[in-house]
Amino acid sequence: MLTVLDTPYQDARADGLSFALGLPPLDALAVLPVERGGLTVQLRLLGASHQVIAGPLSETVACLPGDGAEPLPGSAATTLPGWSYAFTAATAVHADDAAFGRAVDAICARLADRGDALTGAFPGSRYAVTALALDGAEPNAVDAHPDGAAGGGASAENPEQRAGIGWRTWHAYPQTREIVMTRSRLVRPT
């Protein structure tokens, strides 16, 4: 689902992003609830990036005010009662505006017709985009994933993947030609 937002984004560079777990729902510009794996997952677009609420977990990657915000890590993991959680992030910097534009267009095109994806286009640049999508809905899913792998669906070799849910996000910054990509997985061990 594409949402054209009428408010400017509040984060302007990849290095301004912070990471937090456990925050209450923040004011959102758009919310897409999706049922998957026995959970209702809320994909939430913020003026300062994104928040995902899934079962016992709240993940926020955004320009967060205050001293309690942690810088965006390359990876993080934690356990919650009955669940484990893993997060990865990477930033791709594109050499020129054309390459950056093609990368953002590819992300938007691949997510356009998915009922489990939310893309927000901010005013000022057609490439000022934040996108969120549940993982594993599409084999060989969206490119530019932090660990270089495509896809992300359940695997017969890894039964834990069937007992969890995953999501990916993309945060595009036209000013710096950066795309921050995250991948998260919430697993109920079997």
Side-chain angles (χ1 to χ4, degrees), residues 8-14 93-97 100 104 122-129 171-179:
Y9 54 98
Q10 297 170 5
D11 57 333
R13 297 182 55 91
V93 180
H94 297 272
D96 56 47
D97 290 341
F100 175 78
V104 174
F122 290 89
S125 169
R126 69 179 265 197
Y127 300 121
V129 168
H171 307 257
Y173 300 100
Q175 314 87 311
T176 57
R177 297 188 305 270
E178 297 169 301
I179 300 176

Side-chain angles (χ1 to χ4, degrees), residues 86-153:
F87 170 88
T88 59
T91 301
V93 180
H94 297 272
D96 56 47
D97 290 341
F100 175 78
R102 284 190 301 273
V104 174
D105 284 342
I107 292 165
C108 292
R110 287 191 175 135
L111 299 179
D113 296 325
R114 289 182 48 180
D116 63 353
L118 177 61
T119 302
F122 290 89
S125 169
R126 69 179 265 197
Y127 300 121
V129 168
T130 298
L132 302 89
L134 290 188
D135 203 5
E138 166 184 313
N140 304 321
V142 181
D143 62 355
H145 153 330
D147 65 11

Side-chain angles (χ1 to χ4, degrees), residues 82-84 155-164 185-190:
W83 296 90
S84 64
S155 162
E157 294 82 23
N158 187 351
E160 277 192 334
Q161 285 191 336
R162 290 190 300 259
R185 188 106 185 117
L186 183 63
V187 175
R188 182 182 292 139
T190 54

Side-chain angles (χ1 to χ4, degrees), residues 26-119:
L26 301 176
D27 290 338
L29 302 174
V31 178
L32 178 65
V34 180
E35 292 290 328
R36 183 71 55 82
L39 294 175
T40 299
V41 180
Q42 289 185 22
L43 304 176
R44 305 169 60 84
L45 285 171
L46 310 176
S49 275
H50 89 261
Q51 185 174 51
V52 174
I53 299 174
L57 181 88
S58 164
E59 169 194 282
T60 306
V61 173
C63 245
L64 298 171
D67 296 331
E70 295 291 324
L72 187 65
S75 65
T78 192
T79 57
L80 304 153
W83 296 90
S84 64
Y85 165 80
F87 170 88
T88 59
T91 301
V93 180
H94 297 272
D96 56 47
D97 290 341
F100 175 78
R102 284 190 301 273
V104 174
D105 284 342
I107 292 165
C108 292
R110 287 191 175 135
L111 299 179
D113 296 325
R114 289 182 48 180
D116 63 353
L118 177 61
T119 302

